[in-house]
């Protein structure tokens, strides 16, 4: 398992990749541990699962709607 610094860096890269996929609709390549994975709008859900996994490893909330504060 990677250390927190590495996981935090991967999380930032994955969140940026998801942002780019969602706003640009283009494929984004994310690399980690010698692996490269290309994400596109067609598999954005897979990228979101990867982000959720990284957040869990770091002990952070999953980032879904349930973890956001409710504002009135």
């Amino acid at each position: 398992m990677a250390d927190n610094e590495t996981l935090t860096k991967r999380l930032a890269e994955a969140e940026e990749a998801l942002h780019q996929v969602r706003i640009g609709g283009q494929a984004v390549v994310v690399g980690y541990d010698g692996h490269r994975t290309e994400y596109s709008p067609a598999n954005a859900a897979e990228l979101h699962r990867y982000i959720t996994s990284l957040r869990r490893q770091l002990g952070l909330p999953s980032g879904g709607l349930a973890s956001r504060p409710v504002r009135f």
Side-chain angles (χ1 to χ4, degrees), residues 6-57:
T6 301
L7 291 171
T8 300
K9 181 180 177 193
R10 289 178 185 169
L11 177 59
E13 291 171 350
E15 287 176 335
E16 177 61 25
L18 182 58
H19 175 70
Q20 291 302 319
V21 166
R22 287 186 172 166
I23 66 167
Q26 59 191 6
V28 175
V29 177
V30 175
Y32 57 92
D33 289 342
H35 302 281
R36 289 173 34 98
T37 304
E38 184 173 323
Y39 295 100
S40 67
N43 63 356
E46 183 180 336
L47 180 54
H48 184 57
R49 282 190 296 277
Y50 175 59
I51 290 169
T52 300
S53 170
L54 289 171
R55 293 182 70 80
R56 255 191 231 118
Q57 291 177 61

